[in-house]
Amino acid sequence: MSNQQAVEMYRFHNWANETIFKRLKELPESVYRQEMTSVFPTVAKLMAHIYFVDLCWIYILEGVDMRKATVDALSRQEEIEKLSLEELEASYRQVSRRYEEWIAQGQDLDQRFMLDNPYTRKRDTSYAEVLFQVANHGTYHRGNLSAMLRQIGQSSVMTEYALYWYNE
């Protein structure tokens, strides 16, 4: 995997999230907090989860230990879950800018570091792999979101990587 591929996958992730925010703002406001029996109890909690994980990983890329990054990100969970869709979108944009600033520093994405994951074990990984993980995690949960929206009679929006190619 090249450094450029990793950056491009992150940028796809960001584009896909922006596409989802745009779609969610087109739906009735009640959809965002509508309770359902699904992967997440509400769309708001799912979107907050994507945000938390992105926040956790940027902390790690910036040099924070994963245990501390996880605690710091999750300490804001209740606060973030209460934000309106527009407020969460603004918070997401701030995190996205941090990623772009980190990328702009010219990091060697092949650089390896020890990731001490409190949910599993230590692993030697690279910055590029982290960017792929961020994109993959978002893709997984955007799929959950599409299913949740269909479950309540709403349509989602396509966020496929190939569509991103044509929207650059």
Side-chain angles (χ1 to χ4, degrees), residues 85-127:
L85 177 62
E86 291 77 12
E87 291 168 330
L88 182 62
E89 181 181 29
S91 294
Y92 179 77
R93 283 190 179 136
Q94 289 175 349
V95 169
S96 177
R97 277 193 293 278
R98 285 173 64 183
Y99 275 92
E100 287 297 336
E101 289 167 5
W102 184 86
I103 290 166
Q105 292 173 5
Q107 299 290 338
D108 175 7
L109 299 183
D110 292 326
Q111 182 178 333
R112 308 218 40 101
F113 68 100
M114 189 58 63
L115 181 67
D116 187 2
N117 188 327
Y119 301 106
T120 179
R121 63 184 185 281
K122 291 182 179 180
R123 179 182 191 281
D124 181 54
T125 193
S126 71
Y127 291 136

Side-chain angles (χ1 to χ4, degrees), residues 3-161:
N3 285 349
Q4 187 54 39
Q5 287 171 316
V7 169
E8 202 57 28
M9 284 307 295
Y10 173 75
R11 290 187 175 144
F12 155 69
H13 168 70
N14 190 49
W15 167 86
N17 284 340
E18 288 176 358
T19 301
I20 287 294
F21 277 116
K22 180 180 176 191
R23 174 62 184 139
L24 290 173
K25 289 189 291 185
E26 295 169 349
L27 297 173
E29 195 173 315
S30 61
V31 166
Y32 190 59
R33 298 204 187 274
Q34 182 175 337
E35 295 279 337
M36 64 188 85
T37 303
S38 191
V39 179
F40 287 85
T42 66
V43 168
K45 287 189 183 282
L46 181 146
M47 294 302 293
H49 175 75
I50 294 172
Y51 171 82
F52 294 137
V53 172
D54 280 18
L55 182 61
C56 184
W57 283 113
I58 192 60
Y59 283 151
I60 292 164
L61 291 174
E62 292 171 343
V64 176
D65 173 76
M66 187 172 195
R67 290 176 191 277
K68 181 172 178 5
T70 301
V71 169
D72 288 354
L74 289 176
S75 72
R76 299 188 55 210
Q77 182 171 354
E78 189 175 317
E79 164 199 343
I80 295 299
E81 288 178 352
K82 289 180 181 177
L83 295 178
S84 70
L85 177 62
E86 291 77 12
E87 291 168 330
L88 182 62
E89 181 181 29
S91 294
Y92 179 77
R93 283 190 179 136
Q94 289 175 349
V95 169
S96 177
R97 277 193 293 278
R98 285 173 64 183
Y99 275 92
E100 287 297 336
E101 289 167 5
W102 184 86
I103 290 166
Q105 292 173 5
Q107 299 290 338
D108 175 7
L109 299 183
D110 292 326
Q111 182 178 333
R112 308 218 40 101
F113 68 100
M114 189 58 63
L115 181 67
D116 187 2
N117 188 327
Y119 301 106
T120 179
R121 63 184 185 281
K122 291 182 179 180
R123 179 182 191 281
D124 181 54
T125 193
S126 71
Y127 291 136
E129 288 177 314
V130 169
L131 291 179
F132 274 98
Q133 165 56 27
V134 169
N136 187 59
H137 177 263
T139 297
Y140 175 75
H141 287 302
R142 286 186 296 273
N144 293 152
L145 176 64
S146 291
M148 290 169 70
L149 291 175
R150 285 189 190 105
Q151 180 180 335
I152 60 171
Q154 300 291 338
S155 62
S156 187
V157 63
M158 184 186 287
T159 58
E160 190 171 302
Y161 185 59

